[in-house]
Amino acid sequence: MSETPLDLTLDAPALTAQLVDFPSVSGTEKPLADAVEEALRALPHLTVDRFGNNVVARTHLGRAERVVLAGHLDTVPIADNVPSRLDEDGVLWGCGSCDMKSGVAVQLRIAATVPEPNRDLTFVFYDNEEVAADLNGLKLVAEAHPDWLAADFAVLLESSDTEVEGGCQGTLRVILRTKGERSHSARSWMGSNAIHSAAPILAKLAAYEPRRPVIDGLEFHEGLNAVRIEGGVANNVIPDACTVVVNFRYAPDRSEEQALAYVKEFFAGCDIDEFIVDDHTGGALPGLSHPAAAAFMAAVGGVARPKFGWTDVSRFSALGVPAVNYGPGNPLLAHKRDERVDIAMISRAEERLRSWLTA
Amino acid sequence: MSETPLDLTLDAPALTAQLVDFPSVSGTEKPLADAVEEALRALPHLTVDRFGNNVVARTHLGRAERVVLAGHLDTVPIADNVPSRLDEDGVLWGCGSCDMKSGVAVQLRIAATVPEPNRDLTFVFYDNEEVAADLNGLKLVAEAHPDWLAADFAVLLESSDTEVEGGCQGTLRVILRTKGERSHSARSWMGSNAIHSAAPILAKLAAYEPRRPVIDGLEFHEGLNAVRIEGGVANNVIPDACTVVVNFRYAPDRSEEQALAYVKEFFAGCDIDEFIVDDHTGGALPGLSHPAAAAFMAAVGGVARPKFGWTDVSRFSALGVPAVNYGPGNPLLAHKRDERVDIAMISRAEERLRSWLTA
C-alpha cells in the first residue's frame, strides 16, 4: 500500500492538486505508479496490468469499440513550484499542473466514475515521457505488450487547451557535411574552403517555401531548417570541413521514405560530401474520419487543429490506432517555472469526455 | 657566464646544430639570450644592449647606411626532435633547424666575422615570436627602444629558401553575426533562422574573386575567407544567432583603413547584426626600390617573390624601415616534427650576406 493513497472521490481539480503534490520527476515515478495502480485495483470494473512503472487498466464490457485514454506520470524537474497553489482566480500553479497531471486526474476520474462506458476503455499511465525516447514507457509497453494498447481510437490527454489536436508531424534530422582542403589562410588559393562550399545549402534553405497540406480538414505546416552549423579549424586555416544539421518537420501525408527522398532531392546539386540521417520519426495522420474519432469530435465540440510537434500520438498511429491530443492546460506553459492550469478547463475536459463515453 | 657558451668560430651549419641543441621554446629563451649576449659582448666591434630576453648589437662605423639583421630565438615546442641530427645527405634535422636557428646562426657568424662591414649593422635577437603578438620581443623593443631599430633597411632571416621575399600582406579578421528569433523547430514559422540569414554572407564569399596587384614588381594575391562558422541552440530550436569569422589577407598597397572599408562594402546588403573587428595588422610594402634593398638584391641574386603571410617585416615597415625576408630553410617545413634544413643553404645564406656587406 502506497504511503499517500490517491482519493478518486475528489473532483478533478482537487485530484490534480494532490497529484502535483506527489512529486514524480522522470526516473522517480515508482511511488506515483504504485499509488495509481492501487487506486485502480480498488475499482471492480477494471482489470489492471503493470509493466515497470507503467499501469494499464481496462474494462471488458464487450462493446463494439474500444478507446484508449493515455497520459504520462512524469514531470520535468521541480523548479521551486511544488507544492501546488490555487489562487483566487481559480488557477492551480505547480510543476506538472499543466503537463500533465491535470490530464492524469481526468483519466483517473473517468476510470472511477464511468463504470459502464458506451465504449470499452483502456487507461494507460506511463513513465519517462519527458526524457530520452528509448526510456519512454509507452514505447516499452507497445513493444512488450502491444495487445494492451489494442483499440479503435486513442486520446492522449496532453495539454491542448481542451481543443482537439489531430495527428502530428514527422521529424527528420540530417547532417550534411561539405569537404574542403586545408591551407594557411595567407595562401588560401592552395586550399579549398568547406564553409564556402556550404553556401548553396544555406541559400536553398533560405529560399525554402513550406508546404501546408490540408489532411482530414487540418492544415499542417512543414518546416525545413538548419538547426546547427559548425566549421573551422583555426583563425588562420582554410577549413576542410563544415557541418550543417538540418531538421525537416513534415506533414503526416508523407511516409518516412518520402520525407527522406524529398530532403535528398532538395539538396541535390549542393556539393555534399556526406549525407547522414541522424534521427527520424514519422508523423501520424489525424484519423479524424474514423467513426470513433468523429463521435469524439461531436461530443467534445470545437474545431480540431493540427499538432505540429511530435507527440506520443504517433506511437498509437504506428500501432494502427488513430489518436488525438485532447487535454486541459495551455501547452505553452508546459515546462515553465510558472506552469499553471485553469481549473475550469480541467472540469470541462472531464465533463466532455464523460458525455462522450456515456451518451 | 652561461653554462653552454656559443662557439662563433664554428661554421654556420655546426653553429646551427649547437643552437638546436640549446632548447629555447617560447617563454624559456633566457638561457639562450644570455649565451647570445655573452658571445656578442666578446666582440669588440659591437656595442650590446639588452631588453628582457631581447639582445641588440650594433657597429658604429659611421657608414652612410645602416641595415638590420633580425631573427627570433624561440621555437615551437619540441616534438621528439632534439637533439639535432645531421644525415649523410647534408640535412640537419631538429626543432628550430629551419625556423629559425639556421638564420640565427648566420646572424651570429656575420657578427663574428665581418668586423668592418660596408654598412653599419644592427643585429637583433628577440623572443616570443611563435606565440601571442603582444609578447613578441621585436614589438616590445620597437615600443621601448625604437632608436635601437633605426636603419635604412632590414633583413629578417626567417626561412625563405634563400630567396628574397618582399613585404607582406596585411591580415584583418572580422566577426559577422546574424540575428534571428528562437522558436521550436516544430513551429519554425514562429521564429526567424539566423543560420539561414548567413546565406548571403557565404554566397558572397563563395563568389569572391581575389585581386592580384603587382607592387614593386611582386605579384601579391589577396584572399577573403570564412575561417569559422558557428550557430545553433539545440536540435529542435530555430537558432537566433549565427557567427561567421572572416579573414581578409590583403596586399600592402591597401592601408588598414582601406582594407576595412573594402570588407564593409563587400558585405553591404547582407543582413548583418554585428560587425566586429577582431584582429587587424597592416601589411608591409616590399620597399625593393630603396637603394639598400636594390644593392641587397644584386648581391644575393635571384628574383624577389612576394610574402603572403604576415611576418615581423611589417613591424620594421611600421617603423619606416623597408624590410625583406631572406633566410635558409624551406618555410613549409617550419613547425613540423620532421623540421630540417639543407646545410648547404645555411652556408649559401652566410656567403651571400657577407658578400653584400663586404663588397
Side-chain angles (χ1 to χ4, degrees):
Chain A
M1 184 158 157
S2 72
E3 291 172 30
T4 318
L6 298 176
D7 182 357
L8 304 193
T9 67
L10 294 175
D11 63 17
L15 183 55
T16 301
Q18 195 188 0
L19 289 166
V20 171
D21 296 342
F22 197 134
S24 58
V25 175
S26 306
T28 68
E29 299 91 335
K30 184 174 184 302
L32 182 56
D34 290 347
V36 166
E37 180 185 356
E38 182 184 316
L40 294 171
R41 286 200 189 277
L43 301 171
H45 61 284
L46 295 176
T47 60
V48 179
D49 292 295
R50 175 143 175 177
F51 179 73
N53 290 322
N54 305 291
V55 181
V56 177
R58 284 179 283 181
T59 64
H60 298 279
L61 300 166
R63 304 297 193 223
E65 289 179 346
R66 173 176 292 279
V67 300
V68 172
L69 301 183
H72 62 84
L73 296 174
D74 61 322
T75 69
V76 295
I78 291 167
D80 279 332
N81 52 1
V82 165
S84 62
R85 177 174 65 84
L86 179 65
D87 71 17
E88 62 271 26
D89 297 321
V91 175
L92 182 71
W93 300 66
C95 181
S97 56
C98 168
D99 184 14
M100 59 169 284
K101 288 185 168 176
S102 49
V104 170
V106 170
Q107 288 178 271
L108 290 169
R109 285 289 293 166
I110 297 293
T113 63
V114 186
E116 296 200 343
N118 54 12
R119 294 163 175 90
D120 268 310
L121 295 179
T122 300
F123 299 93
V124 180
F125 301 89
Y126 61 103
D127 68 351
N128 281 323
E129 193 269 349
E130 300 288 5
V131 288
D134 58 351
L135 297 176
N136 183 293
L138 186 60
K139 171 176 184 280
L140 300 180
V141 171
E143 287 167 1
H145 299 285
D147 54 303
W148 293 1
L149 304 180
D152 298 288
F153 181 60
V155 178
L156 189 62
L157 282 93
E158 288 271 16
S159 58
S160 68
D161 276 324
T162 54
E163 300 290 343
V164 177
E165 292 183 335
C168 79
Q169 297 206 131
T171 178
L172 166 62
R173 188 168 68 239
V174 296
I175 298 174
L176 310 180
R177 291 219 172 97
T178 58
K179 203 165 80 172
E181 198 186 329
R182 288 190 195 188
S183 73
H184 196 290
S185 68
R187 292 179 201 83
S188 50
W189 57 95
M190 307 287 286
S192 158
N193 194 316
I195 296 176
H196 297 190
S197 295
I201 295 172
L202 296 199
K204 284 204 156 253
L205 286 169
Y208 167 78
E209 289 286 344
R211 196 174 65 109
R212 301 172 69 160
V214 175
I215 305 168
D216 268 4
L218 306 188
E219 188 185 67
F220 285 84
H221 194 149
E222 297 187 329
L224 185 63
N225 277 276
V227 289
R228 294 186 191 274
I229 189 165
E230 193 176 2
V233 177
N235 286 336
N236 60 355
V237 175
I238 300 304
D240 58 351
C242 181
T243 299
V244 187
V245 180
V246 172
N247 185 208
F248 182 37
R249 300 283 181 151
Y250 57 92
D253 59 342
R254 294 192 201 262
S255 68
E256 292 186 40
E257 292 68 28
Q258 289 167 338
L260 181 56
Y262 173 80
V263 173
K264 280 192 168 154
E265 173 61 26
F266 185 82
F267 290 113
C270 298
D271 190 14
I272 293 169
D273 184 54
E274 279 186 275
F275 182 107
I276 300 162
V277 176
D278 192 39
D279 186 64
H280 198 176
T281 320
L285 287 163
L288 295 178
S289 50
H290 189 280
F296 174 74
M297 283 304 302
V300 302
V303 177
R305 54 189 191 188
K307 183 72 180 175
F308 297 117
W310 193 91
T311 79
D312 276 328
V313 302
S314 89
R315 297 193 197 279
F316 287 107
S317 185
L319 291 168
V321 182
V324 298
N325 284 297
Y326 176 80
N330 177 345
L332 299 179
L333 296 173
H335 303 193
K336 288 184 178 278
R337 186 180 288 269
D338 59 351
E339 183 175 352
R340 58 195 185 271
V341 62
D342 184 337
I343 61 169
M345 214 187 266
I346 308 175
S347 302
R348 183 158 71 240
E350 180 186 354
E351 282 159 24
R352 291 188 178 173
L353 284 175
R354 183 180 292 110
S355 71
W356 172 49
L357 295 169
T358 57
Chain B
M1 183 159 157
S2 72
E3 290 171 29
T4 317
L6 298 176
D7 181 356
L8 304 193
T9 67
L10 294 175
D11 64 14
L15 183 56
T16 301
Q18 194 188 2
L19 289 166
V20 171
D21 297 341
F22 197 135
S24 57
V25 175
S26 306
T28 68
E29 299 92 336
K30 184 174 184 303
L32 182 56
D34 290 346
V36 166
E37 180 184 356
E38 182 184 317
L40 295 172
R41 287 203 188 277
L43 301 171
H45 61 285
L46 295 176
T47 60
V48 179
D49 291 296
R50 175 146 175 174
F51 179 73
N53 291 321
N54 305 290
V55 181
V56 177
R58 284 178 284 183
T59 64
H60 297 278
L61 302 166
R63 305 294 193 225
E65 289 180 348
R66 172 175 292 278
V67 299
V68 172
L69 300 184
H72 62 85
L73 296 174
D74 60 323
T75 69
V76 295
I78 291 168
D80 279 333
N81 51 2
V82 165
S84 61
R85 177 173 66 84
L86 180 64
D87 71 17
E88 62 271 26
D89 297 321
V91 175
L92 182 71
W93 301 67
C95 181
S97 55
C98 168
D99 183 14
M100 60 170 283
K101 289 185 167 177
S102 49
V104 170
V106 170
Q107 289 178 272
L108 290 169
R109 285 288 295 165
I110 298 293
T113 63
V114 187
E116 295 200 344
N118 54 12
R119 294 164 174 89
D120 267 311
L121 294 179
T122 300
F123 299 92
V124 180
F125 301 88
Y126 61 102
D127 67 352
N128 283 321
E129 193 271 348
E130 300 289 4
V131 289
D134 57 351
L135 298 175
N136 183 292
L138 186 61
K139 171 177 184 281
L140 300 180
V141 171
E143 288 167 359
H145 298 285
D147 53 305
W148 293 1
L149 304 179
D152 298 288
F153 182 58
V155 178
L156 189 62
L157 281 92
E158 288 270 16
S159 58
S160 70
D161 275 324
T162 55
E163 300 289 344
V164 177
E165 292 183 335
C168 79
Q169 298 204 131
T171 178
L172 165 63
R173 188 167 68 239
V174 295
I175 298 173
L176 310 181
R177 291 219 172 97
T178 58
K179 203 165 80 171
E181 197 185 329
R182 289 191 193 188
S183 72
H184 196 290
S185 67
R187 291 179 203 83
S188 49
W189 57 94
M190 306 288 286
S192 158
N193 194 316
I195 295 176
H196 297 192
S197 296
I201 295 172
L202 297 198
K204 285 205 155 250
L205 286 168
Y208 168 78
E209 290 287 345
R211 196 174 66 109
R212 301 171 69 161
V214 175
I215 305 168
D216 266 5
L218 307 186
E219 188 186 66
F220 285 85
H221 195 149
E222 298 187 328
L224 185 64
N225 278 276
V227 289
R228 294 186 191 272
I229 189 166
E230 193 178 1
V233 177
N235 286 334
N236 61 355
V237 175
I238 300 304
D240 57 351
C242 182
T243 300
V244 186
V245 181
V246 172
N247 185 208
F248 182 37
R249 298 286 180 149
Y250 58 92
D253 60 341
R254 293 191 201 264
S255 69
E256 293 187 41
E257 293 68 27
Q258 288 167 337
L260 181 57
Y262 173 80
V263 172
K264 280 193 168 156
E265 173 62 26
F266 186 82
F267 290 112
C270 299
D271 190 14
I272 293 168
D273 184 54
E274 279 186 273
F275 182 107
I276 300 162
V277 176
D278 191 39
D279 187 63
H280 198 178
T281 321
L285 287 163
L288 296 178
S289 50
H290 189 280
F296 174 75
M297 283 303 303
V300 301
V303 176
R305 54 189 192 188
K307 183 71 180 173
F308 297 117
W310 193 90
T311 78
D312 275 327
V313 301
S314 88
R315 295 193 199 280
F316 287 106
S317 185
L319 291 168
V321 182
V324 297
N325 283 297
Y326 176 81
N330 177 345
L332 299 179
L333 296 173
H335 302 194
K336 288 182 179 278
R337 186 180 289 268
D338 60 351
E339 182 175 352
R340 59 194 184 270
V341 63
D342 184 339
I343 62 170
M345 213 187 268
I346 307 175
S347 301
R348 184 158 71 242
E350 179 185 355
E351 283 159 23
R352 292 189 177 172
L353 285 175
R354 183 180 292 109
S355 70
W356 171 49
L357 296 169
T358 56

PDB file of all heavy atoms in Angstrom, chain B residues 21 23 47 113 116 160 174 176-178 209 225 268 275 320 327 358:
ATOM      1  N   ASP B  21      70.489  22.304 -30.304  1.00  0.00           N
ATOM      2  CA  ASP B  21      70.690  21.502 -29.093  1.00  0.00           C
ATOM      3  C   ASP B  21      70.588  22.343 -27.820  1.00  0.00           C
ATOM      4  O   ASP B  21      70.786  21.827 -26.713  1.00  0.00           O
ATOM      5  CB  ASP B  21      72.048  20.800 -29.158  1.00  0.00           C
ATOM      6  CG  ASP B  21      72.105  19.813 -30.325  1.00  0.00           C
ATOM      7  OD1 ASP B  21      71.024  19.427 -30.823  1.00  0.00           O
ATOM      8  OD2 ASP B  21      73.228  19.454 -30.739  1.00  0.00           O
ATOM      9  N   PRO B  23      67.807  24.185 -26.196  1.00  0.00           N
ATOM     10  CA  PRO B  23      66.352  24.421 -26.321  1.00  0.00           C
ATOM     11  C   PRO B  23      65.948  25.837 -25.922  1.00  0.00           C
ATOM     12  O   PRO B  23      66.502  26.409 -24.967  1.00  0.00           O
ATOM     13  CB  PRO B  23      65.743  23.391 -25.377  1.00  0.00           C
ATOM     14  CG  PRO B  23      66.755  22.295 -25.286  1.00  0.00           C
ATOM     15  CD  PRO B  23      68.085  23.012 -25.345  1.00  0.00           C
ATOM     16  N   THR B  47      78.588  47.179 -29.899  1.00  0.00           N
ATOM     17  CA  THR B  47      78.002  47.524 -28.604  1.00  0.00           C
ATOM     18  C   THR B  47      76.756  46.659 -28.457  1.00  0.00           C
ATOM     19  O   THR B  47      76.084  46.351 -29.452  1.00  0.00           O
ATOM     20  CB  THR B  47      77.586  49.007 -28.533  1.00  0.00           C
ATOM     21  OG1 THR B  47      76.606  49.252 -29.555  1.00  0.00           O
ATOM     22  CG2 THR B  47      78.776  49.918 -28.736  1.00  0.00           C
ATOM     23  N   THR B 113      82.355  37.598 -37.904  1.00  0.00           N
ATOM     24  CA  THR B 113      83.378  37.532 -38.956  1.00  0.00           C
ATOM     25  C   THR B 113      83.427  38.752 -39.871  1.00  0.00           C
ATOM     26  O   THR B 113      84.281  38.808 -40.757  1.00  0.00           O
ATOM     27  CB  THR B 113      83.157  36.281 -39.837  1.00  0.00           C
ATOM     28  OG1 THR B 113      81.875  36.411 -40.493  1.00  0.00           O
ATOM     29  CG2 THR B 113      83.180  35.003 -39.003  1.00  0.00           C
ATOM     30  N   GLU B 116      84.241  44.881 -40.092  1.00  0.00           N
ATOM     31  CA  GLU B 116      84.231  46.192 -40.749  1.00  0.00           C
ATOM     32  C   GLU B 116      83.312  46.171 -41.961  1.00  0.00           C
ATOM     33  O   GLU B 116      83.755  46.308 -43.113  1.00  0.00           O
ATOM     34  CB  GLU B 116      85.658  46.578 -41.158  1.00  0.00           C
ATOM     35  CG  GLU B 116      86.568  46.767 -39.950  1.00  0.00           C
ATOM     36  CD  GLU B 116      87.801  47.595 -40.286  1.00  0.00           C
ATOM     37  OE1 GLU B 116      88.106  47.750 -41.492  1.00  0.00           O
ATOM     38  OE2 GLU B 116      88.439  48.085 -39.348  1.00  0.00           O
ATOM     39  N   SER B 160      63.306  31.236 -46.064  1.00  0.00           N
ATOM     40  CA  SER B 160      62.662  31.635 -47.320  1.00  0.00           C
ATOM     41  C   SER B 160      63.349  30.939 -48.489  1.00  0.00           C
ATOM     42  O   SER B 160      63.359  31.486 -49.595  1.00  0.00           O
ATOM     43  CB  SER B 160      62.727  33.158 -47.470  1.00  0.00           C
ATOM     44  OG  SER B 160      64.069  33.546 -47.713  1.00  0.00           O
ATOM     45  N   VAL B 174      37.412  39.712 -39.074  1.00  0.00           N
ATOM     46  CA  VAL B 174      36.159  40.308 -38.596  1.00  0.00           C
ATOM     47  C   VAL B 174      35.194  39.193 -38.216  1.00  0.00           C
ATOM     48  O   VAL B 174      35.228  38.099 -38.770  1.00  0.00           O
ATOM     49  CB  VAL B 174      35.505  41.235 -39.648  1.00  0.00           C
ATOM     50  CG1 VAL B 174      36.383  42.435 -39.913  1.00  0.00           C
ATOM     51  CG2 VAL B 174      35.181  40.493 -40.918  1.00  0.00           C
ATOM     52  N   LEU B 176      31.258  38.381 -38.048  1.00  0.00           N
ATOM     53  CA  LEU B 176      29.958  38.827 -38.549  1.00  0.00           C
ATOM     54  C   LEU B 176      28.886  38.024 -37.838  1.00  0.00           C
ATOM     55  O   LEU B 176      28.939  36.790 -37.814  1.00  0.00           O
ATOM     56  CB  LEU B 176      29.858  38.574 -40.050  1.00  0.00           C
ATOM     57  CG  LEU B 176      31.032  39.075 -40.900  1.00  0.00           C
ATOM     58  CD1 LEU B 176      30.775  38.781 -42.376  1.00  0.00           C
ATOM     59  CD2 LEU B 176      31.241  40.567 -40.691  1.00  0.00           C
ATOM     60  N   ARG B 177      27.927  38.710 -37.258  1.00  0.00           N
ATOM     61  CA  ARG B 177      26.865  37.999 -36.550  1.00  0.00           C
ATOM     62  C   ARG B 177      25.522  38.311 -37.192  1.00  0.00           C
ATOM     63  O   ARG B 177      25.202  39.473 -37.439  1.00  0.00           O
ATOM     64  CB  ARG B 177      26.803  38.434 -35.077  1.00  0.00           C
ATOM     65  CG  ARG B 177      27.983  37.967 -34.284  1.00  0.00           C
ATOM     66  CD  ARG B 177      27.574  37.509 -32.866  1.00  0.00           C
ATOM     67  NE  ARG B 177      28.730  36.899 -32.242  1.00  0.00           N
ATOM     68  CZ  ARG B 177      29.571  37.532 -31.405  1.00  0.00           C
ATOM     69  NH1 ARG B 177      29.326  38.772 -31.042  1.00  0.00           N
ATOM     70  NH2 ARG B 177      30.615  36.910 -30.907  1.00  0.00           N
ATOM     71  N   THR B 178      24.767  37.249 -37.433  1.00  0.00           N
ATOM     72  CA  THR B 178      23.394  37.445 -37.880  1.00  0.00           C
ATOM     73  C   THR B 178      22.479  37.123 -36.712  1.00  0.00           C
ATOM     74  O   THR B 178      22.829  36.363 -35.812  1.00  0.00           O
ATOM     75  CB  THR B 178      23.049  36.544 -39.072  1.00  0.00           C
ATOM     76  OG1 THR B 178      23.257  35.179 -38.694  1.00  0.00           O
ATOM     77  CG2 THR B 178      23.919  36.878 -40.268  1.00  0.00           C
ATOM     78  N   GLU B 209      36.311  37.050 -55.967  1.00  0.00           N
ATOM     79  CA  GLU B 209      37.431  36.912 -56.911  1.00  0.00           C
ATOM     80  C   GLU B 209      38.613  37.691 -56.354  1.00  0.00           C
ATOM     81  O   GLU B 209      38.535  38.911 -56.188  1.00  0.00           O
ATOM     82  CB  GLU B 209      37.048  37.499 -58.281  1.00  0.00           C
ATOM     83  CG  GLU B 209      36.012  36.697 -59.040  1.00  0.00           C
ATOM     84  CD  GLU B 209      36.585  35.399 -59.612  1.00  0.00           C
ATOM     85  OE1 GLU B 209      37.834  35.259 -59.672  1.00  0.00           O
ATOM     86  OE2 GLU B 209      35.769  34.538 -59.998  1.00  0.00           O
ATOM     87  N   ASN B 225      38.203  34.859 -46.736  1.00  0.00           N
ATOM     88  CA  ASN B 225      37.696  33.532 -46.387  1.00  0.00           C
ATOM     89  C   ASN B 225      36.986  33.495 -45.046  1.00  0.00           C
ATOM     90  O   ASN B 225      37.446  34.113 -44.075  1.00  0.00           O
ATOM     91  CB  ASN B 225      38.867  32.537 -46.296  1.00  0.00           C
ATOM     92  CG  ASN B 225      39.250  32.024 -47.661  1.00  0.00           C
ATOM     93  OD1 ASN B 225      38.651  31.080 -48.166  1.00  0.00           O
ATOM     94  ND2 ASN B 225      40.220  32.689 -48.288  1.00  0.00           N
ATOM     95  N   ALA B 268      28.104  44.682 -47.607  1.00  0.00           N
ATOM     96  CA  ALA B 268      26.936  45.565 -47.562  1.00  0.00           C
ATOM     97  C   ALA B 268      25.793  44.837 -48.259  1.00  0.00           C
ATOM     98  O   ALA B 268      25.984  44.175 -49.265  1.00  0.00           O
ATOM     99  CB  ALA B 268      27.250  46.876 -48.273  1.00  0.00           C
ATOM    100  N   PHE B 275      29.054  43.682 -36.647  1.00  0.00           N
ATOM    101  CA  PHE B 275      30.274  43.602 -37.460  1.00  0.00           C
ATOM    102  C   PHE B 275      31.403  43.999 -36.523  1.00  0.00           C
ATOM    103  O   PHE B 275      31.509  45.159 -36.133  1.00  0.00           O
ATOM    104  CB  PHE B 275      30.146  44.569 -38.646  1.00  0.00           C
ATOM    105  CG  PHE B 275      31.318  44.563 -39.600  1.00  0.00           C
ATOM    106  CD1 PHE B 275      31.191  43.984 -40.864  1.00  0.00           C
ATOM    107  CD2 PHE B 275      32.544  45.131 -39.255  1.00  0.00           C
ATOM    108  CE1 PHE B 275      32.262  43.988 -41.759  1.00  0.00           C
ATOM    109  CE2 PHE B 275      33.614  45.128 -40.133  1.00  0.00           C
ATOM    110  CZ  PHE B 275      33.474  44.558 -41.393  1.00  0.00           C
ATOM    111  N   GLY B 320      59.119  52.584 -40.515  1.00  0.00           N
ATOM    112  CA  GLY B 320      59.689  53.323 -41.645  1.00  0.00           C
ATOM    113  C   GLY B 320      60.936  52.664 -42.206  1.00  0.00           C
ATOM    114  O   GLY B 320      61.701  53.289 -42.941  1.00  0.00           O
ATOM    115  N   GLY B 327      66.311  33.962 -45.739  1.00  0.00           N
ATOM    116  CA  GLY B 327      66.992  33.053 -44.819  1.00  0.00           C
ATOM    117  C   GLY B 327      67.013  31.638 -45.342  1.00  0.00           C
ATOM    118  O   GLY B 327      66.295  31.294 -46.287  1.00  0.00           O
ATOM    119  N   THR B 358      80.436  43.205 -47.627  1.00  0.00           N
ATOM    120  CA  THR B 358      81.882  43.439 -47.720  1.00  0.00           C
ATOM    121  C   THR B 358      82.289  43.896 -49.111  1.00  0.00           C
ATOM    122  O   THR B 358      83.474  44.123 -49.368  1.00  0.00           O
ATOM    123  CB  THR B 358      82.673  42.149 -47.373  1.00  0.00           C
ATOM    124  OG1 THR B 358      82.245  41.097 -48.241  1.00  0.00           O
ATOM    125  CG2 THR B 358      82.462  41.743 -45.936  1.00  0.00           C
TER     126      THR B 358
END
